[in-house]
Each structure stands twice: as structure tokens, then as C-alpha cells.
Amino acid sequence: ENDSFYSWSSFEEVGILVFEDGHNKELEDVLKIANEELAFFLMKYKKLFSRARPSQLSSDLQLVINNPGHAAYPSGHATQSYGTALVLSLVDKDNEEKYLDFAKSVGHRREIAGVHYPSDTKAGQNLAEKVMAKLVEHPEFQRELQEAKESFIKAPGLENYKMQMVGHN
């Protein structure tokens, strides 16, 4: 859970995104660009705010996973998962609600695990929205995004995805 990861791998694990057999190579390239941009701002704000994690302030809190070695605010998993969902929504507008729902559930699970506050998750979502809004203005990113749209293949498991976080903020 705390290992370095590409946020879209969790989307793939639950079956709502597919990369096997060379599918969605162009989409993966777009996601890598977005991930790099998000990571820059994410770490900048983690350092700026330097917010303690819940268990650092409450010694009786039992963690499900170990605390990551950096500050809590904003949540990196929430930022990156929400950024992934925003890219997927641009490529596959018909399933936007499912992608955003899954991203919210990733952040919420980190709260349940005891390593984040709900405000960390919300800040991650807000950061992803702001960074992605600027990124989609860039002509090179627009070109790459268009290529991803044109070659996009929906995951077979997407139709079976059960919404988890509808109405949760």
C-alpha cells in the first residue's frame, strides 16, 4: 500500500482499466505525463504544510498499514488516483462517474487505514483538479490525449463495476 506506484495500476487491478496485450499504450503515456506533473505539486505541498499523520498525534490509534515517510497533507494516493480518474473521464466520458467513484474510494480507504484525515483526501482531489485543469490547456498534452481517445479500449470489467462512494465527499 505504501510502495511507489502508478495510480492507474489500482484501476487495472479492479478491472476498470486494461493495459495487457499492449492495449491503451497511448493512454498510459498520457497518465505518466499527468502523474509526473501531479507528483511535483504534491510533494511541494506536502513539504510546505508538513502535516502530521493521525497516529503521530494519537498514540492509541492502531494502523492497518505503516505510515509513509512524508507528510499527510495532501494525500498522494487521493491526488494521483483522482488525477487518473480525471484523465480517464476525458478519454471515456460515458464512464466518468465510475472512474471518479473509484478514485474517491482509494482516498477513503487510506482514511480507514489510519494514515490520512478526510481533509487530506479532499485536498488531494482539489490539487488534482487544479493541476489537470492547467495541464489540459497545454497543446502537446491535448495532442497526446486525443491519440489516447482514438485508440482507447474499454476494460471488459468496467460494466460490472459496483459504485462504492456515491454521495461521499
Side-chain angles (χ1 to χ4, degrees), residues 80-115:
Q80 292 173 320
S81 294
Y82 210 72
T84 294
L86 293 170
V87 169
L88 289 170
S89 297
L90 291 169
V91 171
D92 179 20
K93 190 73 170 162
D94 293 342
N95 290 293
E96 177 178 25
E97 191 175 5
K98 290 179 180 181
Y99 298 131
L100 294 174
D101 177 79
F102 181 71
K104 288 177 185 176
S105 75
V106 169
H108 186 65
R109 286 193 301 272
R110 303 285 288 179
E111 296 165 21
I112 293 168
V115 298

Side-chain angles (χ1 to χ4, degrees), residues 18-26 28 151 153:
V18 62
F19 287 117
E20 63 187 29
D21 299 328
H23 292 325
N24 294 321
K25 174 68 177 120
E26 291 81 4
E28 189 172 23
S151 62
I153 298 170

Side-chain angles (χ1 to χ4, degrees), residues 1-2 61-67 109-115:
E1 185 77 18
N2 284 330
L61 180 63
Q62 302 256 333
L63 294 177
V64 176
I65 60 174
N66 292 328
N67 275 328
R109 286 193 301 272
R110 303 285 288 179
E111 296 165 21
I112 293 168
V115 298

Side-chain angles (χ1 to χ4, degrees), residues 94-142:
D94 293 342
N95 290 293
E96 177 178 25
E97 191 175 5
K98 290 179 180 181
Y99 298 131
L100 294 174
D101 177 79
F102 181 71
K104 288 177 185 176
S105 75
V106 169
H108 186 65
R109 286 193 301 272
R110 303 285 288 179
E111 296 165 21
I112 293 168
V115 298
H116 281 293
Y117 301 98
S119 57
D120 299 339
T121 302
K122 187 64 179 168
Q125 292 172 355
N126 289 339
L127 179 59
E129 288 172 354
K130 288 180 177 11
V131 171
M132 292 306 301
K134 284 300 198 182
L135 190 56
V136 297
E137 292 176 2
H138 194 279
E140 179 67 17
F141 187 79
Q142 290 173 3

